[in-house]
Amino acid sequence: MKALFKRVATAPGGRRTKWLVLAAWLILAVALGPLAGKLGDVEDTGPNAFLPRGAESAQVNTELKKFRDDALMPAVIVYTGTDEAAITAKATADRGAFTRLAASGEQVSPVVRSQDGDALMTVVPLDTKGEVTDAVKELRDIADSNAPPGVDIEVGGPAGSLVDQVAVFNSLDSTLMIATGLVVAALLLITYRSPVLWLFPLMSVGFAAVLTQVCTYLLAKHAQLPVDPQSAGILMVLVFGVGTDYALLLIARYREELHRHEDRHRAMTIALRRSGPAILASAGTIAVGLACLSLADINSSRSMGLVGAVGVICGFIAMITVLPALLVIAGRWVFWPFVPRFGTSARKATTVWSRIGSAVARRPRWSWMMSVAVTGVLALSAFGITMGLTQSEMFQDKPESVVAQERISAHYPSGASDPATIVTVSAEAPEVKAAAAAVAGVARVEDGDRTTDGELATLSVVLKDTPDSRAAKNTIDGVRNAVHRVPGADALVGGTTAQTLDTQRAADRDLRTVIPVVLLVVLLVLVWLLRAVVAPLLLLATVVLSYFAALGASNLVFEHLLGFAGVDWSIPLMGFVFLVALGIDYNIFLMHRVREESLRLGRSRGVLEGLTSTGGVITSAGVVLAATFAVFAGLPLVTMAQMGVIVGIGVLLDTFLVRTVLVPALALDLGRWFWWPGRLFRAPDPAPGETGTSQGAGLTPEHV
């Protein structure tokens, strides 16, 4: 691996090869750039994109394709108000206007009055092969035109809900890209205090973004890589975050070497050799950790993990190739006004990080115990989390479809707008219908369609309770138990409530399956990097503790600041994978440098030197990454906001507490045992005034 990095490190910073590297990237961007804009063409927006693979509700969606060439999606229009005559006149007039928007061969349902007489409802079946978004917009325009005073009209149902969610995701990419770019640019300006240098990481991230989108598009088109709108939106934020992290680490090491070497090409080569293994270990850990989500049942989790892994790999490739080439081509002046001069000191004799290291070194046991206590107290809040969000709680601002469902629930059986669907063998449909109707919580069961060959039939099950409520989920369990017992029916139960129930249970299974694999993968990477066992185990334990602290702290923010009703079922797993993979990132940066310095200076001095030399760059990287994910907090979708908050808080905890205090304190307190059973465990510390070149490990930095 060292020999590989020696060869790789020479190319981007070479006198001639730097131009070849830059030319190759420019050709790549120009030739493949058009493909980057096609990522939306391969995004899966189908009914099973966010469902568990193999779930009964997903099987129903697949079976429903057999019933019609043009699948239907109902839009539900609900009218409420106190003037009964005005409501009736408006609903009747609208029903006639809605006819032209209904799917071919389908009729708009009769206007149904609620039992309390205060609401009217009609259903328009839309053809999903057409432009559902345009159809719903027209329905809303018709409903809003000439609405009498005091009459409230909302368009909801599955079609309205889909359109409202698509509207969120359509603005997601552009909003995230603009916000993330501005945040990263501002933080890089603050970090470097240079009017020029901040542009180079952003340019390199731009190359990485193009490569990421192209690779994702090609893998989705030709290798069945699952891509959905949510994973595509997070992808660019992840590339910006990790790409900027790697840029900060490399530039910091390059700046150090410019103080030691007059030739900037030599400085870049050494910087790549020294920082390259840490960047590789970080990228490998994050990519493999995210790829572990391929073991998840929920399709959206698998998509986010695999797509994220592609982004991290592309970001890594860009940061160790095009960024070094750009920096070396530009020369030392890019650091202006703080240009690193050959022969001058790379940093001040005393910095905030050296003072923190000295304070930790004076009382290491007290330091790590207090750190554990602080994170432990925060983690206690994780035990009070309310899991699960209803459809009305998924948005920070209620869209029209959510308001429509609330009105329907207030005046009709709550499941009237979105009934469950049963697919069964036609011959057994009467028995299945009777079995379902006998279940407590079922308002009524209605006959549906049949396939053209007459083999299969559908039944529509209207539930008494709101489709995503706990009572409705219990009813679905009851319906499934009842219809599965009908001999020869092969009945399947689907619909929104069934999908919510299946997703909830799959999330629990995924937690038990994916988390142990992620922990094992991260442990193996750390063992390889540090050549020890105790240190990797402790580092892994600190990241897990940090995750629970972040989860607890986030719960306090959700409950008391943002007013969220609960935490989405996907957040614990997604937050764990992202935080363990990203959190271990900073431990890798720190401990790789600590090991290098310990081999040269001895264990105790090596810990302090590693902390001092990496403190500024890792803190900057942590703040940048936390800020990029914090952009999610302003998005209208609660799930995305929760993901941003938990990752942002977790990264800040790792940056300012775990990596700054807890890990160095453990290393200092345990001494040589921290490195058991590796070379640093066996080697004696150098005598005062000596370095590891004469005693101890016997290695110079050139060999590390």
Side-chain angles (χ1 to χ4, degrees):
M1 183 60 68
K2 293 176 184 175
L4 174 63
F5 258 102
K6 285 183 179 180
R7 292 195 295 271
V8 172
T10 304
R15 295 181 185 277
R16 297 179 181 177
T17 52
K18 62 188 178 187
W19 294 104
L20 295 176
V21 170
L22 180 58
W25 273 99
L26 290 173
I27 293 171
L28 180 72
V30 172
L32 300 181
L35 294 180
K38 294 185 176 182
L39 184 58
D41 296 345
V42 294
E43 290 179 5
D44 182 7
T45 57
N48 290 341
F50 294 90
L51 295 181
R53 50 182 173 180
E56 185 170 339
S57 55
Q59 294 178 48
V60 168
N61 289 335
T62 302
E63 291 295 314
L64 288 176
K65 296 178 182 178
K66 300 177 181 179
F67 284 79
R68 293 177 56 98
D69 292 334
D70 53 336
L72 299 179
M73 181 174 291
V76 180
I77 301 89
V78 58
Y79 302 78
T80 55
T82 55
D83 189 336
E84 182 176 331
I87 295 176
T88 302
K90 174 61 174 170
T92 303
D94 284 353
R95 181 174 181 269
F98 292 155
T99 302
R100 63 182 178 82
L101 297 173
S104 177
E106 297 294 326
Q107 299 293 322
V108 178
S109 73
V111 176
V112 179
R113 184 176 298 279
S114 62
Q115 289 186 352
D116 59 14
D118 294 332
L120 295 175
M121 180 177 69
T122 186
V123 179
V124 181
L126 302 178
D127 183 356
T128 58
K129 288 188 176 181
E131 290 294 334
V132 175
T133 300
D134 292 342
V136 170
K137 183 179 183 301
E138 286 194 58
L139 289 174
R140 288 173 172 170
D141 289 342
I142 293 171
D144 291 340
S145 64
N146 301 318
V151 176
D152 295 319
I153 310 169
E154 281 80 30
V155 178
S161 178
L162 174 66
V163 169
D164 289 337
Q165 292 187 43
V166 168
V168 171
F169 285 116
N170 281 344
S171 63
L172 185 64
D173 289 349
S174 58
T175 301
L176 285 178
M177 284 292 290
I178 294 171
T180 303
L182 291 174
V183 167
V184 171
L187 291 174
L188 288 175
L189 274 168
I190 295 171
T191 299
Y192 291 129
R193 293 173 293 166
S194 167
V196 179
L197 184 57
W198 65 278
L199 290 170
F200 286 76
L202 283 185
M203 284 190 291
S204 303
V205 168
F207 281 113
V210 171
L211 180 62
T212 298
Q213 290 187 322
V214 169
C215 290
T216 305
Y217 169 76
L218 293 175
L219 289 171
K221 188 173 181 64
H222 302 291
Q224 287 75 52
L225 177 72
V227 181
D228 59 52
Q230 180 173 283
S231 62
I234 290 179
L235 176 61
M236 287 299 98
V237 174
L238 186 62
V239 172
F240 261 88
V242 299
T244 306
D245 273 8
Y246 300 154
L248 288 167
L249 186 67
L250 177 61
I251 292 173
R253 196 61 187 256
Y254 177 49
R255 189 202 297 263
E256 284 186 40
E257 299 304 328
L258 285 174
H259 285 279
R260 298 171 182 153
H261 301 277
E262 188 171 6
D263 184 356
R264 67 181 188 274
H265 302 89
R266 175 66 175 164
M268 178 56 76
T269 298
I270 294 176
L272 273 172
R273 289 180 184 176
R274 303 257 182 93
S275 61
I279 297 175
L280 173 63
S282 168
T285 302
I286 298 174
V288 176
L290 291 175
C292 290
L293 284 170
S294 62
L295 302 174
D297 283 338
I298 299 177
N299 289 326
S300 57
S301 297
R302 295 174 58 244
S303 173
M304 191 175 297
L306 294 172
V307 168
V310 173
V312 171
I313 293 171
C314 293
F316 165 75
I317 293 172
M319 292 306 135
I320 66 167
T321 55
V322 69
L323 177 61
L326 288 170
L327 290 171
V328 173
I329 289 171
R332 294 174 185 261
W333 69 270
V334 297
F335 291 93
W336 185 86
F338 304 99
V339 179
R341 304 295 182 185
F342 169 61
T344 60
S345 175
R347 62 174 182 268
K348 297 178 181 178
T350 302
T351 66
V352 63
W353 305 108
S354 63
R355 290 193 291 269
I356 291 174
S358 299
V360 172
R362 284 193 294 270
R363 302 184 68 183
R365 185 164 302 175
W366 182 88
S367 298
W368 71 256
M369 290 179 69
M370 288 300 297
S371 300
V372 170
V374 170
T375 50
V377 169
L378 290 174
L380 290 176
S381 299
F383 294 99
I385 290 179
T386 300
M387 293 302 303
L389 295 170
T390 65
Q391 187 66 30
S392 62
E393 296 165 348
M394 292 295 291
F395 298 90
Q396 299 207 53
D397 297 317
K398 290 182 182 179
E400 185 172 340
S401 59
V402 171
V403 178
Q405 178 58 51
E406 291 177 346
R407 299 283 169 81
I408 293 168
S409 298
H411 299 283
Y412 297 88
S414 295
S417 67
D418 194 3
T421 301
I422 299 177
V423 177
T424 183
V425 174
S426 297
E428 307 298 332
E431 292 188 35
V432 171
K433 181 178 181 180
V439 175
V442 172
R444 63 181 183 274
V445 181
E446 301 171 349
D447 293 325
D449 296 330
R450 289 177 180 262
T451 55
T452 54
D453 60 9
E455 291 293 325
L456 298 177
T458 63
L459 298 171
S460 181
V461 182
V462 177
L463 308 180
K464 294 179 180 178
D465 302 291
T466 304
D468 49 13
S469 65
R470 183 182 298 275
K473 296 172 190 174
N474 292 336
T475 302
I476 289 295
D477 273 334
V479 171
R480 282 177 169 172
N481 290 333
V483 301
H484 289 171
R485 289 196 295 265
V486 177
D490 295 329
L492 298 171
V493 181
T496 300
T497 307
Q499 292 170 5
T500 304
L501 179 63
D502 291 341
T503 301
Q504 173 184 328
R505 289 174 175 168
D508 290 337
R509 290 195 301 271
D510 289 347
L511 276 172
R512 296 191 297 270
T513 302
V514 176
I515 286 179
V517 178
V518 172
L519 292 176
L520 178 61
V521 167
V522 172
L523 178 63
L524 292 176
V525 172
L526 289 173
V527 169
W528 166 77
L529 181 71
L530 301 178
R531 307 296 196 270
V533 173
V534 172
L537 288 171
L538 289 174
L539 292 176
L540 200 60
T542 63
V543 174
V544 172
L545 178 62
S546 176
Y547 162 73
F548 282 106
L551 192 61
S554 299
N555 186 47
L556 295 176
V557 173
F558 298 155
E559 185 175 348
H560 299 291
L561 293 181
L562 300 178
F564 295 157
V567 176
D568 187 72
W569 287 101
S570 65
I571 292 301
L573 176 62
M574 300 302 299
F576 180 87
V577 173
F578 271 88
L579 276 182
V580 169
L582 296 173
I584 209 68
D585 207 26
Y586 302 114
N587 280 329
I588 287 174
F589 293 162
L590 170 66
M591 297 312 297
H592 181 266
R593 187 61 180 266
V594 165
R595 185 175 185 273
E596 175 185 331
E597 299 297 342
S598 295
L599 288 166
R600 185 170 66 91
L601 302 172
R603 286 179 288 266
S604 297
R605 289 180 60 195
V607 171
L608 298 181
E609 180 65 20
L611 176 61
T612 301
S613 59
T614 63
V617 63
I618 294 180
T619 300
S620 299
V623 171
V624 169
L625 188 61
T628 54
F629 274 91
V631 171
F632 288 162
L635 296 178
L637 201 61
V638 170
T639 303
M640 302 289 282
Q642 290 180 339
M643 174 65 75
V645 170
I646 190 172
V647 174
I649 290 177
V651 168
L652 291 177
L653 281 173
D654 281 325
T655 303
F656 290 103
L657 183 61
V658 174
R659 192 271 313 163
T660 304
V661 179
L662 179 54
V663 171
L666 285 171
L668 290 168
D669 192 25
L670 291 177
R672 62 195 294 263
W673 287 99
F674 185 79
W675 301 99
W676 184 88
R679 180 179 300 177
L680 278 172
F681 168 74
R682 300 189 301 270
D685 274 338
E690 297 180 327
T691 68
T693 57
S694 59
Q695 292 188 28
L699 293 176
T700 67
E702 292 291 332
H703 297 102
V704 178

